[in-house]
Amino acid sequence: MTKSEREGPYHHGDLRNALVRAAAALAETGGPEAVTVRAAARRVGVTPTAAYRHFTNHEQLLGAAQEQAQQSLFGAMAETIRTFPPDADAVTRLFAVGRGYIVFALREPGLFRTAFCNREEDDPENWNSPAFDLLSDLLDELVEIGFTDPADRPDAEYAAWSAVHGMASLLVERALPDTGPRARDLAIDRTLAVISRGLATGPNAADFGRDARRTAMPDAAD
C-alpha cells in the first residue's frame, strides 16, 4: 500500500475501498483502537455522514481493516517463500513463513494487532485467515514428504501457530529483555527449531538437515 493510496482527500471512485485503505493505515500506526469511522472519513477527506453510508459503526469498519491486515500478513509470508527456489522443500518453506510472520509483526505492529483483534461481531464459523490456510497446507506437505507422522498431523496448526504468534507478540509488546538484534534473532531461530523438532516425527525426518532449514532464516527487522 503506497502513501498516495493511504493519504490525501478523496475525489471520486469507490468510497468504501478508500475508507478500508484509510482504516488499514490507521491500524498500521495505532492498532485496532485507532480505527474509527470518523477518523477514516477525516483521512479520506469526506464527511462522517458519507462514511456511515458504507460502515454503520466502528465494528464493521474494524472488520474490514482486520481483513486487510490478514491479507497483508499473508502477503509478507508468501513473499518470503518466493525468495527461495520453487523446489524448496516444505521444511524450508515452513521456516520461511514462520520468520516472515515474525518479521511482519515487527515491521507492522499496528496491522499485526489488528489482524487478530477480537471484535464483538466475530463469527467463528466465518473466520478467515489466509495465513492459517498457508500453514495448514505446509503441514500437509510435511506429512506427504515423510517429515511428520500422519498421527501427529491433526491440529498441528495450533501448536505451530501458537509458538510463532507468541514469540511475535512478546517482541512487539517488548515483553522480552532488549538484548539487541543478534540475541533476538537467536531467540526466533530457537523457537522455529523447537517447532521443527516437534514436527519431525516421520520416517524421513532425518533426511532434512538443519543447515538447509536455516537458509530460510533471513535477518529480522531491526
Side-chain angles (χ1 to χ4, degrees), residues 113-189:
R113 293 187 184 102
T114 302
F116 298 103
C117 65
N118 292 322
R119 299 186 300 114
E120 293 178 3
E121 296 181 3
D122 278 345
D123 181 356
E125 295 298 324
N126 295 325
W127 185 75
N128 178 42
S129 172
F132 186 84
D133 294 339
L134 175 59
L135 172 61
S136 293
D137 290 342
L138 285 171
L139 291 174
D140 287 341
E141 286 192 52
L142 293 184
V143 173
E144 292 173 7
I145 64 176
F147 185 81
T148 299
D149 189 295
D152 296 319
R153 173 63 185 87
D155 297 329
E157 291 93 340
Y158 300 113
W161 185 23
S162 296
V164 173
H165 186 83
M167 174 56 69
S169 297
L170 288 171
L171 291 171
V172 167
E173 301 302 334
R174 301 183 183 278
L176 298 178
D178 186 5
T179 53
R182 186 178 298 275
R184 179 198 61 199
D185 284 354
L186 181 59
I188 294 171
D189 291 353

Side-chain angles (χ1 to χ4, degrees), residues 80-98 134 137-148 196 204-216:
T80 306
I81 290 180
R82 286 194 290 269
T83 63
F84 295 93
D87 61 349
D89 62 65
V91 182
T92 297
R93 285 182 284 124
L94 182 69
F95 268 69
V97 299
L134 175 59
D137 290 342
L138 285 171
L139 291 174
D140 287 341
E141 286 192 52
L142 293 184
V143 173
E144 292 173 7
I145 64 176
F147 185 81
T148 299
S196 176
N204 301 330
D207 296 339
F208 298 87
R210 183 179 178 214
D211 290 341
R213 296 198 296 273
R214 284 186 61 82
T215 63

Side-chain angles (χ1 to χ4, degrees), residues 16-33:
R16 187 184 189 283
N17 284 337
L19 290 168
V20 172
R21 290 194 296 269
L26 291 165
E28 185 177 323
T29 55
E33 297 82 4

